[in-house]
Amino acid sequence: MCLAVLILLVYANTFDASWQLDDKPNIINNHFLHIEDLRPESLVNTFFTQPKNPRETGNKLHRPVAFLTFALNWHFGKDNVVGYHAVNLAIHLLTAFLLFLSILNLSRSPNLRDRFGGHAYLVAFFSAALWAVHPIQTQAVTYIVQRMTALAAMFYMLSILCYVKCRLSRSSLGRVLFLLGCGLAFVFALGSKENTATLPAALLLIEVTCFQSMGPKRTKWALTGGTLVGGLLLIALSVWLFLPDNPVAFIKNYSYRPFSLAQRLLSEPRIVFFYLGLFFYPLPGRLSIEHDVIVSTSLFEPWTTLPAILITLILIAFGFAQIRKRPLIALAVLFFYLNHIVESTIIPLELIFEHRNYLPTMFLFLPIVAGFFKIPDYFEKRRPAIRAALSGIAVILIIAMGSGTYIRNRAWATETSLWQDAMVKAPQSARPLTNLAFLKAHGPDSDPDRFDEALGLYEKALSLRKSRSSINPVILQNMAWIYFRKGEALKAIELLEEALALSPDYARGRYDLAQYLITQGRWDDASVHVGYLLDKNDDHEGYLNLKGLI
C-alpha cells in the first residue's frame, strides 16, 4: 500500500504526458495494433507487428506481450494517453512490489540470513521504494513505448521470485509449481523485450550468492560447469533472438551509425560508468532523453576511455571476490553489469538511453540499505534512537528522490518541453534541434510564421552530433519542404540535390525532388528521378502515379 501511494504521488503529473519519439511508429502509426474487436485472430495478429514498417508483418514474433498490451489499450481508449500511462504505472508498481517480495524472500536464504540484522522487512521495503521513486526510472515509466522495458523487468522479477520460492520450498509439489512459474515468467519476459535473455545467468548468480556455500571443491566444480553451460545457452538464446538469419548480420547495421563495433565497445564502459553516476547523483538537471556522448576512438581518446574500462573490470572482479564474504554487494554489482550485457556491448543500438538502467539497478540499493540498518547494532545503549534517526533519513531520501522524479516528469509533459529540455542538456546533439524544428514547421501546431525559426534550427543541427549517419539527408529534405512552401522552389531543389549527393537511395528526398522539378517545368529531369525510384520499387503507387503524370 505504501509503495502504491509513493509511486502514485511521484508520477501524479504524468497521466496526460504526450506521445513522444518512438511512441508514434510503434503505436500511433502501427495500424496492426488498432484492433476493432477482441477476437483471438485479431489479438494473435498483434504478435507479428513490425513497428519499423507497420504495413508489413512477418512470421517471427516481435515482442508479442508488450504489443498485445498496446493493442488492448488502443481498443479501449484509442490514442488517449491516460490509459497508457495508467497501465505503465500499474506495471511499475507491480515490479516494485515483486522486487520487495524477492528481497524479503532472499533474506531467508542460507547465505543472507545474517545479513539483514533482523530488519529484513525494512530493508526490502526501503530498497524497493528507493528504486521505484528514483528519477532515473522516469524514462522507462513515463515514456509510453518503454512499457516494453518495464514489462520485461516485471516478468524478470516474477521469475526470480518464483525461483527463490522454489529454492526455499519444503514441498516437492511447491518446488515444481514455482519452477514452472519461473519458466513461464521467463517466456513472458522474453515476449516483452529480448534483453531478458540474461535471466538464466541471473538465476545462477542468485544461486551462487544466496544459496551456495562455495566451500567444497565439488560445489565449485559444479558451479563452474553450470556457469559454462549457462553461458553457452545464453549465447545460443541471444543468437536466436537477435540474429535469426545470420550470426554476423548485425555488423551490417553499423553502416547506419557514426561509430564502429570497436568504437562502441570502447565507449560503453564510459557510458555505463555515467549511468552509475546518474544513479547515485540523480539530480533532474542531469537526466535527459538525449545526452552528448563523445565516441571513444581509441583507448586514449578521450582520455577517460582506458580508466573507465579498468574501473569496469575492477568492479566486476570486486563483485566476484565478494561472493563469499559480502554476497549482497556481489549480487548488486554483478546483477548490474550482467543486465547491461545485451544493450551495452555489440548490438548496434544507440550509445545511451536512461531506460536501459531500469532492470540493472534493481539490487543496487540492497547492500546500502542493509548496511544502513545494521548500524544500530554497534550502539548498544542508543540503539532505538539511532534506528529511528536512520529510518527518518531513509524517509527523507525517498522524499528527495520522489521530488526529483516529479520535477523530471515535467519535461515529459509535451514534445516541445521534452526537446527544449534536451536542447539545453545536450547542446552538441542534433536530435533536440531537429525535433523542435519539425514541431515548428511540420507538427500539428505548425505555423508558417515559424518557418524561419525552424530553418535556423535545422541549419544548426547539420553540424552537430547525430545518432545515425543518414540524418543529414532527412534534415535537408525537411528544409527543402519549408523553402518550397515559402515559394523558393529553386532553393528547395538545390537542397534535395545536396541530400541525394549524400544518400542516392534516399527515396523520400528523390520523390519530393521529382515533384518540385515538375513545378518548374523540368519534366525530363523529373522523369529520370522517377525512373530511378521505380527501378528500386516498381509497384509503388506514388511513383507510378507520378510517372503517369509525366
Side-chain angles (χ1 to χ4, degrees):
M1 186 63 182
C2 288
L3 276 175
V5 171
L6 282 172
I7 291 170
L8 286 173
L9 283 174
V10 300
Y11 283 94
N13 59 341
T14 65
F15 285 97
D16 58 351
S18 71
W19 299 104
Q20 305 283 2
L21 201 57
D22 288 343
D23 289 340
K24 293 175 183 178
N26 281 280
I27 304 171
I28 298 296
N29 300 327
N30 195 344
H31 303 298
F32 280 101
L33 291 184
H34 300 173
I35 56 176
E36 299 296 332
D37 55 69
L38 298 178
R39 291 180 300 161
E41 60 186 276
S42 299
L43 299 178
V44 170
N45 283 339
T46 66
F47 296 172
F48 303 94
T49 301
Q50 299 294 326
K52 291 183 180 179
N53 187 351
R55 295 182 180 178
E56 296 179 4
T57 57
N59 57 2
K60 182 175 172 59
L61 294 175
H62 184 80
R63 301 181 181 178
V65 177
F67 278 100
L68 175 60
T69 67
F70 290 138
L72 292 173
N73 258 132
W74 185 272
H75 177 73
F76 290 107
K78 297 299 185 284
D79 62 350
N80 187 329
V81 294
V82 174
Y84 296 86
H85 286 298
V87 173
N88 279 22
L89 278 180
I91 292 168
H92 185 52
L93 171 59
L94 284 171
T95 306
F97 185 62
L98 289 169
L99 176 60
F100 164 75
L101 291 178
S102 296
I103 294 173
L104 196 60
N105 281 274
L106 282 171
S107 70
R108 297 165 50 205
S109 65
N111 294 356
L112 301 185
R113 287 189 190 123
D114 301 326
R115 306 285 174 172
F116 290 79
H119 311 296
Y121 190 92
L122 286 175
V123 170
F125 172 77
F126 281 109
S127 297
L130 286 167
W131 173 85
V133 302
H134 197 289
I136 203 172
Q137 315 303 0
T138 53
Q139 196 173 105
V141 181
T142 310
Y143 188 7
I144 293 173
V145 78
Q146 288 310 326
R147 177 184 301 178
M148 300 172 186
T149 296
L151 201 58
M154 184 187 78
F155 286 115
Y156 199 100
M157 286 310 302
L158 177 60
S159 186
I160 287 176
L161 176 60
C162 288
Y163 179 80
V164 174
K165 297 287 281 185
C166 170
R167 293 291 282 112
L168 295 174
S169 178
R170 297 179 180 179
S171 162
S172 298
L173 178 61
R175 285 194 292 270
V176 170
L177 291 176
F178 281 122
L179 196 58
L180 288 173
C182 175
L184 186 61
F186 181 35
V187 171
F188 278 95
L190 285 173
S192 302
K193 196 174 181 183
E194 299 88 340
N195 66 314
T196 52
T198 59
L199 181 61
L203 296 181
L204 180 61
L205 173 63
I206 287 171
E207 178 67 28
V208 171
T209 55
C210 303
F211 291 96
Q212 296 297 327
S213 66
M214 298 300 291
K217 289 184 178 180
R218 187 174 181 181
T219 301
K220 291 181 179 179
W221 280 107
L223 290 173
T224 301
T227 302
L228 291 173
V229 173
L232 291 173
L233 288 174
L234 178 59
I235 291 171
L237 182 61
S238 299
V239 168
W240 178 72
L241 287 171
F242 297 104
L243 318 171
D245 302 317
N246 182 346
V248 295
F250 73 95
I251 295 176
K252 296 179 181 178
N253 293 329
Y254 276 96
S255 63
Y256 302 106
R257 297 294 183 190
F259 50 82
S260 65
L261 170 59
Q263 289 171 340
R264 191 176 203 278
L265 289 173
L266 288 171
S267 302
E268 282 301 329
R270 293 172 39 240
I271 291 167
V272 173
F273 193 69
F274 175 71
Y275 289 152
L276 286 172
L278 287 180
F279 186 81
F280 290 110
Y281 188 50
L283 291 179
R286 303 186 69 216
L287 300 169
S288 177
I289 186 70
E290 185 80 6
H291 291 277
D292 283 336
V293 177
I294 299 174
V295 175
S296 294
T297 55
S298 72
L299 288 172
F300 308 102
E301 187 60 42
W303 70 268
T304 52
T305 302
L306 183 57
I309 293 172
L310 293 176
I311 291 171
T312 298
L313 294 175
I314 290 169
L315 285 174
I316 293 172
F318 176 74
F320 278 108
Q322 299 302 312
I323 286 177
R324 290 189 65 182
K325 291 185 178 180
R326 299 176 182 87
L328 288 178
I329 293 176
L331 175 60
V333 172
L334 296 178
F335 189 88
F336 175 79
Y337 280 102
L338 170 65
N339 282 289
H340 271 298
I341 282 180
V342 173
E343 294 179 304
S344 299
T345 52
I346 63 172
I347 299 173
L349 303 170
E350 294 192 29
L351 288 173
I352 183 169
F353 267 122
E354 291 166 10
H355 67 259
R356 294 174 187 168
N357 293 278
Y358 190 78
L359 177 59
T361 57
M362 282 192 166
F363 291 111
L364 281 185
F365 277 120
L366 176 56
I368 299 171
V369 174
F372 198 65
F373 278 101
K374 286 191 74 173
I375 292 175
D377 296 340
Y378 298 99
F379 299 91
E380 190 71 32
K381 295 181 179 179
R382 300 183 178 179
R383 186 177 298 174
I386 292 174
R387 186 173 297 155
L390 291 176
S391 297
I393 292 171
V395 170
I396 291 171
L397 190 58
I398 288 176
I399 293 172
M401 285 196 176
S403 299
T405 296
Y406 190 90
I407 293 169
R408 173 59 192 155
N409 277 324
R410 290 175 181 169
W412 289 91
T414 67
E415 289 183 275
T416 299
S417 63
L418 182 68
W419 294 113
Q420 285 177 336
D421 175 82
M423 186 171 65
V424 173
K425 295 172 181 176
Q428 298 304 313
S429 176
R431 177 180 281 161
L433 277 72
T434 57
N435 280 280
L436 282 171
F438 186 88
L439 290 170
K440 292 177 186 297
H442 313 273
D445 299 321
S446 60
D447 186 344
D449 291 337
R450 304 170 78 183
F451 279 176
D452 289 337
E453 190 179 350
L455 285 171
L457 291 170
Y458 278 135
E459 190 72 42
K460 185 178 179 181
L462 287 171
S463 61
L464 297 179
R465 193 176 297 118
K466 300 169 185 68
S467 60
R468 293 179 183 269
S469 55
S470 58
I471 296 299
N472 274 359
V474 178
I475 294 174
L476 290 168
Q477 184 246 327
N478 287 338
M479 292 176 68
W481 182 89
I482 295 174
Y483 275 111
F484 188 78
R485 289 286 303 275
K486 284 165 61 73
E488 300 180 41
L490 294 180
K491 180 64 175 178
I493 290 170
E494 178 188 332
L495 289 171
L496 287 174
E497 288 174 341
E498 185 180 343
L500 293 178
L502 294 172
S503 179
D505 291 331
Y506 181 39
R508 178 64 186 272
R510 194 175 290 276
Y511 182 64
D512 283 0
L513 177 57
Q515 295 181 86
Y516 297 168
L517 288 169
I518 288 173
T519 67
Q520 301 303 299
R522 296 169 59 180
W523 298 92
D524 291 339
D525 291 339
S527 182
V528 170
H529 288 292
V530 176
Y532 186 98
L533 291 170
L534 286 170
D535 285 342
K536 301 290 184 179
N537 189 350
D538 61 5
D539 63 350
H540 189 284
E541 182 179 324
Y543 305 161
L544 290 169
N545 185 54
L546 202 58
K547 184 69 174 177
L549 173 65
I550 293 170

